[in-house]
Amino acid sequence: MKKISLNRKKNHLAWAIALLMSAHFANASDVTISGFLSVGGGMVDDEDSIPYGGYDEEDLTFDRNLLGLQVSGQVSEKVTATAQLIARSGDDYQVNSEWAYLTWQASDAIKVRAGRLRTPFYMYSDFLDVGYSYAWITPPQEVYYLPFNNVDGVDVYFTGTLGIFDTSLQAYFGSFTDDLVLNGARADAQTRNQMGVSGTVGKDWWTLRAAYHQADLTVDVTGTPISPTTTLGGFANTLSALGFGANADRLLVEEDDASFAEVGINIDTGRFVAAAEHVEFDPGDAVLSKNIREYVMVGVRAGDWLFHVTAAKAKDEATHPESGIPANQPLPVVGSTNVLIGTLKAIAESQVNERDVLSFGTRWDVTTGTAIKFQFDDVDDLDGDQKVYSVALQTVF
């Protein structure tokens, strides 16, 4: 069985959001429009081995492109409206709404937002799509892999000081509903009662960060194939019919108590830069693996150039959906409980990622707001090895 690849296929919100906002604020001097662009390409060393980073051809292809536009306007003295729209080459440049929210500035230190927000999973979550804002072409995919980047809900954001340290705290509550692509098939996905908190503390050139999130996670995996003739849903029905309903429930992802935790550090002295994050995703009782991921990056600036090295690691732990099934017991149709146990173990193991990636990158700031980046990734995966060469032009305007 293939891994359940949670590649997100987003719902579209029309350009009308931006048009309505710009029309409403057309005569106002406090409207702000900004944008960002990334044009990226890459190639692999061996197209017969595993794909990585969206690339699987030995020929150089430029198909990792995006264009973003953000519009903000003052509704009243303390209320602003913000929308961010992005078109990606991977979605045939169809326009998607990443952000669409109202902000109430309750005080100098407190603001409240409501609408579609970016979920604060990671250190770089707020500018995840703005490639110009960080060293890599894209952040390490071993850590930055979750498809649920946004949440529809409300959050509260505090900023302040704690002694000599600068601090921030963000808490949110909301939900998410969208389509995901599982092994080429569309599947409904949702979170309910999603909530989380993230906080930072820093001083001058360093910032520490920690976050914790939890949600009731549901993904319709019943149509996911586990063999040429069997799906997860069909095998779950077989388990239930044979009296193993609890194991069938573990095989599916239905309102499971999932959690996600992150700790990180960012350092920038002007000449030296470093960053590290460690994340853990616990799927609860679902068949998805427990994800344990991390990276460490160090770099040095020399004039308009930044040279950096990153070591990233994914070492997941398989769940045990076969727990409770006795071994060596005869069964009708399948013959023995050993068949069920072996199949469940194989499904769980197929969700595990074990991968080490060593990346070398350079960033050249050609001019203010524009950078050209080059990156080489040496990938050591359970399913094979790969070398990836990529380049990108990234800008903000």
Side-chain angles (χ1 to χ4, degrees):
M1 176 192 169
K2 297 180 179 179
K3 293 183 176 69
I4 299 177
S5 176
L6 298 181
N7 296 319
R8 182 179 172 189
K9 184 172 182 179
K10 298 180 178 177
N11 293 326
H12 303 148
L13 292 183
W15 275 103
I17 297 175
L19 295 176
L20 287 172
M21 288 185 63
S22 60
H24 180 74
F25 298 118
N27 298 318
S29 60
D30 51 7
V31 65
T32 301
I33 301 177
S34 60
F36 48 93
L37 172 71
S38 180
V39 178
M43 58 187 290
V44 299
D45 183 64
D46 183 3
E47 63 184 23
D48 294 324
S49 188
I50 59 172
Y52 184 79
Y55 299 111
D56 59 6
E57 296 183 35
E58 294 179 12
D59 297 320
L60 180 64
T61 59
F62 285 85
D63 52 5
R64 301 283 287 175
N65 312 321
L66 68 83
L67 172 64
L69 179 68
Q70 182 167 314
V71 183
S72 297
Q74 202 76 26
V75 177
S76 64
E77 182 180 356
K78 291 191 174 184
V79 178
T80 58
T82 302
Q84 186 185 92
L85 302 158
I86 294 181
R88 293 181 172 85
S89 57
D91 293 331
D92 295 326
Y93 294 103
Q94 295 176 347
V95 179
N96 301 294
S97 175
E98 296 292 320
W99 300 351
Y101 60 83
L102 290 174
T103 303
W104 172 47
Q105 193 72 44
S107 68
D108 290 342
I110 302 173
K111 64 181 179 182
V112 180
R113 302 183 300 174
R116 170 161 291 187
L117 311 167
R118 176 58 52 89
T119 313
F121 287 128
Y122 305 110
M123 187 181 304
Y124 298 101
S125 283
D126 281 348
F127 32 90
L128 185 58
D129 296 310
V130 188
Y132 177 81
S133 62
Y134 41 75
W136 314 276
I137 293 176
T138 58
Q141 71 175 48
E142 285 65 44
V143 171
Y144 285 73
Y145 67 99
L146 290 178
F148 308 108
N149 290 323
N150 300 316
V151 62
D152 297 318
V154 60
D155 75 354
V156 182
Y157 189 81
F158 304 86
T159 57
T161 58
L162 183 63
I164 62 172
F165 303 110
D166 299 319
T167 62
S168 70
L169 182 67
Q170 181 180 1
Y172 74 92
F173 181 88
S175 62
F176 168 91
T177 301
D178 212 333
D179 293 339
L180 303 180
V181 177
L182 307 180
N183 295 342
R186 182 180 299 183
D188 294 329
Q190 66 178 31
T191 64
R192 293 294 182 264
N193 301 313
Q194 182 176 343
M195 63 188 75
V197 61
S198 65
T200 65
V201 58
K203 183 75 169 67
D204 299 330
W205 46 266
W206 61 269
T207 302
L208 294 172
R209 185 184 191 274
Y212 181 81
H213 313 261
Q214 64 182 38
D216 300 330
L217 175 64
T218 298
V219 182
D220 183 7
V221 299
T222 55
T224 303
I226 60 174
S227 76
T229 59
T230 308
T231 64
L232 273 175
F235 185 57
N237 290 336
T238 299
L239 287 169
S240 296
L242 293 172
F244 300 108
N247 302 90
D249 291 341
R250 294 191 198 118
L251 195 58
L252 305 178
V253 187
E254 296 179 347
E255 297 185 352
D256 289 304
D257 297 327
S259 64
F260 183 84
E262 179 260 7
V263 293
I265 183 171
N266 185 65
I267 295 172
D268 190 342
T269 68
R271 181 164 181 79
F272 298 101
V273 299
E277 286 184 88
H278 175 92
V279 301
E280 295 189 7
F281 169 70
D282 189 338
D285 294 329
V287 72
L288 304 175
S289 63
K290 179 179 181 180
N291 301 152
I292 303 172
R293 315 286 183 89
E294 58 198 10
Y295 75 83
V296 177
M297 181 272 284
V298 294
V300 61
R301 288 192 180 92
D304 295 328
W305 290 83
L306 170 64
F307 303 90
H308 59 89
V309 179
T310 303
K313 186 180 189 67
K315 189 172 178 59
D316 299 344
E317 297 177 356
T319 55
H320 296 282
E322 79 283 359
S323 296
I325 300 179
N328 303 314
Q329 299 297 311
L331 286 175
V333 183
V334 298
S336 169
T337 53
N338 291 347
V339 175
L340 303 181
I341 293 171
T343 302
L344 287 167
K345 284 184 175 181
I347 292 171
E349 289 291 340
S350 72
Q351 303 308 306
V352 171
N353 272 304
E354 287 192 24
R355 182 169 59 241
D356 290 282
V357 181
L358 186 62
S359 303
F360 300 88
T362 63
R363 170 186 172 132
W364 175 31
D365 284 277
V366 182
T367 185
T368 302
T370 301
I372 297 176
K373 301 178 183 179
F374 303 91
Q375 191 163 316
F376 166 72
D377 301 307
D378 188 0
V379 184
D380 182 7
D381 191 281
L382 276 179
D383 297 327
D385 300 333
Q386 188 60 276
K387 291 177 174 58
V388 185
Y389 308 88
S390 52
V391 61
L393 170 67
Q394 298 175 333
T395 186
V396 292
F397 54 90

